[in-house]
C-alpha cells in the first residue's frame, strides 16, 4: 500500500510531481482539510507536507489523531507550533540550508537594486528623460560597495552566505546573532549596536515571537538618513508601519523587501514609494533550490514511513 501524505498548504502541482511518484498525495489545494476529504480518511493521515510559514497549531494537529510527522517545504518552520508537536510526539522536519545560496543572491540583488536605484534608473531610460537630458534628483551619484558597512542580522546558513558575498564586494561586514561565531567579521553585542554601525541592515534571522517587529522605529532611526534595510527572512521581523513612516519621512534612504507581514499582499503605502524595491517572496525560488528542498522532503518522508528518525528534523522540536 502506498503511503499517504496530506498536502496541507497550497503548492503548484509541478512542485509536487516528485512526491507523487513515491507517495499517494491528498492535496487540499490550501483549503481546510475537512472541506476536501472525509474525516475517516483524515483520521488515518500519518504525515503531512506544509509551507513553513503556514499556521499549524495544536487545534490543527488534533484534526489528525495519527499524525506523526509534519514536513515543511523549505527552511522555515515558524508557522508550526513546535511545543504542541513535541507534546504529541510529532516530528517536525524542514530543509535546512537547501535554498540558502538562492536567498543570499536575492538579498544581494535587492541591496544593489536599492542602493544603486536600479528601478528609478530603468524608468529614467524608458520614460525618455535620459534622452532628453532631463535632470532628476533621484539620479544623483550614490555610495558604492567598497568600504560600505553591511550589517547582517542572523548568522545562520543564509546570513553566512550573505556576509561572504558582501565581503567579495569589498564591503566591511559586521553581524549580530544570539551566538558569537569564529568568523572574520566584526561581532556586535546587540541589534541596536549593529544598526548604529552599518549603512545597510540585512535581515536574515528566523521568525518567531522573539523577533516579532524587532526591527522597529528605533532601529530604523539608528540606521540613519543614508541607511537601507533589506529583508529576506519573514515580514514579521519588521514593523511595517514604522518602515513606511521611515521611508516616507526619509529617516532611512530605502529598502529592499522579498517578504511582507501579510502575503501575498504588499501594503499600498510601500508600493507607492520610489525608494523601495519589492519582490514576491522569491528568494528560494530557483530550480536548484527546489530540487534541494524536495530532496530534503523526500528524505524526511521516506525515513518517517520506514520508522527511522527524520534526517532533517527541526532541532528544537
Amino acid at each position: 500500500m502506498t503511503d499517504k501524505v496530506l498536502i496541507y498548504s497550497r503548492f503548484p502541482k509541478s512542485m509536487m510531481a516528485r512526491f507523487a511518484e513515491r507517495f499517494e498525495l491528498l492535496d487540499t489545494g490550501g483549503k481546510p482539510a475537512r472541506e476536501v476529504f472525509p474525516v475517516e480518511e483524515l483520521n488515518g493521515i500519518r504525515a503531512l507536507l506544509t509551507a513553513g510559514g503556514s499556521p499549524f497549531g495544536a487545534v490543527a494537529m488534533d484534526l489528525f489523531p495519527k499524525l506523526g510527522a509534519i514536513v515543511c517545504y523549505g527552511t522555515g518552520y515558524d508557522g508550526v507550533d513546535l511545543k504542541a508537536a513535541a507534546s504529541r510526539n510529532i516530528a517536525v522536519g524542514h530543509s535546512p540550508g537547501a535554498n540558502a545560496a538562492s536567498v543570499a543572491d536575492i538579498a544581494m540583488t535587492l541591496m544593489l537594486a536599492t542602493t544603486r536605484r536600479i528601478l528609478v534608473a530603468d524608468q529614467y531610460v524608458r520614460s525618455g528623460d535620459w534622452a532628453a537630458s532631463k535632470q532628476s534628483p533621484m539620479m544623483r551619484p550614490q555610495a558604492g560597495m567598497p568600504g560600505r558597512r553591511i550589517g547582517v542580522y542572523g548568522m545562520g546558513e543564509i546570513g553566512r552566505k550573505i556576509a561572504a558575498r558582501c565581503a567579495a564586494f569589498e564591503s566591511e561586514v559586521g553581524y549580530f546573532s544570539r551566538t558569537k561565531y569564529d568568523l572574520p567579521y566584526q561581532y556586535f553585542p546587540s541589534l541596536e549596536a549593529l544598526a548604529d554601525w552599518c549603512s545597510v541592515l540585512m535581515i536574515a534571522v528566523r521568525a518567531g515571537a522573539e523577533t516579532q517587529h524587532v526591527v522597529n522605529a528605533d532601529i530604523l532611526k539608528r540606521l540613519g538618513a543614508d541607511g537601507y534595510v533589506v529583508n529576506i527572512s519573514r515580514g514579521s521581523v519588521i514593523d511595517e508601519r514604522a518602515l513606511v513612516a521611515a521611508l516616507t519621512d526619509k529617516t532611512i534612504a530605502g529598502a529592499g523587501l522579498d517578504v511582507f507581514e501579510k502575503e501575498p499582499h504588499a501594503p499600498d503605502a510601500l508600493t507607492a514609494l520610489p525608494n523601495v524595491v519589492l519582490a514576491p517572496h522569491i528568494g528560494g525560488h530557483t530550480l536548484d533550490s527546489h530540487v534541494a528542498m524536495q530532496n530534503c522532503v523526500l528524505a524526511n518522508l521516506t525515513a518517517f514511513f520506514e520508522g527511522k528518525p527524520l534526517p532533517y528534523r527541526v532541532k528544537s522540536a
Side-chain angles (χ1 to χ4, degrees):
M1 181 181 295
T2 305
D3 297 315
K4 293 183 179 181
V5 176
L6 182 75
I7 308 301
Y8 188 78
S9 301
R10 184 177 181 179
F11 293 102
K13 292 188 181 299
S14 59
M15 289 167 55
M16 300 293 103
R18 291 181 67 195
F19 308 141
E21 296 174 0
R22 169 65 178 81
F23 308 102
E24 179 182 345
L25 304 183
L26 279 65
D27 195 345
T28 65
K31 298 179 181 178
R34 289 197 173 186
E35 291 183 8
V36 184
F37 300 103
V39 173
E40 296 76 20
E41 190 160 24
L42 297 178
N43 285 344
I45 290 295
R46 298 177 55 217
L48 63 78
L49 180 63
T50 183
S54 297
F56 196 79
V59 174
M61 294 176 196
D62 289 340
L63 296 177
F64 312 101
K66 292 187 179 180
L67 187 63
I70 299 169
V71 177
C72 299
Y73 188 108
T75 303
Y77 49 82
D78 46 293
V80 180
D81 186 332
L82 299 181
K83 290 184 178 179
S87 69
R88 291 162 175 76
N89 294 316
I90 300 173
V92 181
H94 66 143
S95 307
N99 62 8
S102 296
V103 176
D105 288 346
I106 279 290
M108 298 300 294
T109 302
L110 288 171
M111 177 176 66
L112 292 170
T114 305
T115 59
R116 296 298 300 273
R117 297 180 174 173
I118 295 300
L119 296 188
V120 173
D122 177 86
Q123 183 58 31
Y124 185 61
V125 175
R126 292 176 188 272
S127 67
D129 288 350
W130 184 41
S133 299
K134 185 176 180 179
Q135 297 299 309
S136 170
M138 292 294 286
M139 295 305 298
R140 295 192 305 269
Q142 303 298 309
M145 292 301 292
R148 186 187 284 273
R149 291 178 172 180
I150 311 296
V152 183
Y153 174 33
M155 197 50 74
E157 290 282 346
I158 295 172
R160 293 181 187 219
K161 289 184 181 296
I162 290 173
R165 283 158 171 73
C166 290
F169 276 82
E170 303 174 54
S171 302
E172 292 185 51
V173 180
Y175 75 99
F176 166 66
S177 69
R178 291 179 299 179
T179 304
K180 181 179 180 181
Y181 300 99
D182 184 16
L183 295 169
Y185 314 120
Q186 185 175 351
Y187 175 77
F188 289 84
S190 68
L191 180 57
E192 288 79 7
L194 182 66
D196 285 338
W197 174 83
C198 70
S199 66
V200 178
L201 178 62
M202 301 283 240
I203 302 173
V205 72
R206 285 201 177 278
E210 69 280 5
T211 60
Q212 178 80 15
H213 287 185
V214 68
V215 178
N216 53 26
D218 175 61
I219 296 298
L220 295 171
K221 185 177 181 180
R222 288 170 183 270
L223 274 176
D226 295 323
Y228 296 83
V229 62
V230 174
N231 189 10
I232 46 77
S233 58
R234 284 284 195 258
S236 61
V237 179
I238 295 183
D239 181 338
E240 242 171 41
R241 288 189 178 185
L243 177 62
V244 169
L247 290 164
T248 302
D249 64 19
K250 294 182 172 53
T251 296
I252 63 173
L257 308 171
D258 187 43
V259 290
F260 308 89
E261 283 206 79
K262 295 182 180 179
E263 298 180 359
H265 177 69
D268 293 338
L270 281 176
T271 62
L273 295 172
N275 54 345
V276 185
V277 179
L278 310 173
H281 203 150
I282 57 170
H285 195 48
T286 60
L287 293 175
D288 48 310
S289 286
H290 280 298
V291 169
M293 290 186 287
Q294 290 164 13
N295 288 344
C296 292
V297 169
L298 286 168
N300 277 329
L301 289 173
T302 299
F304 171 72
F305 285 115
E306 291 178 352
K308 301 175 182 177
L310 272 57
Y312 303 107
R313 183 167 181 163
V314 175
K315 293 180 180 180
S316 57

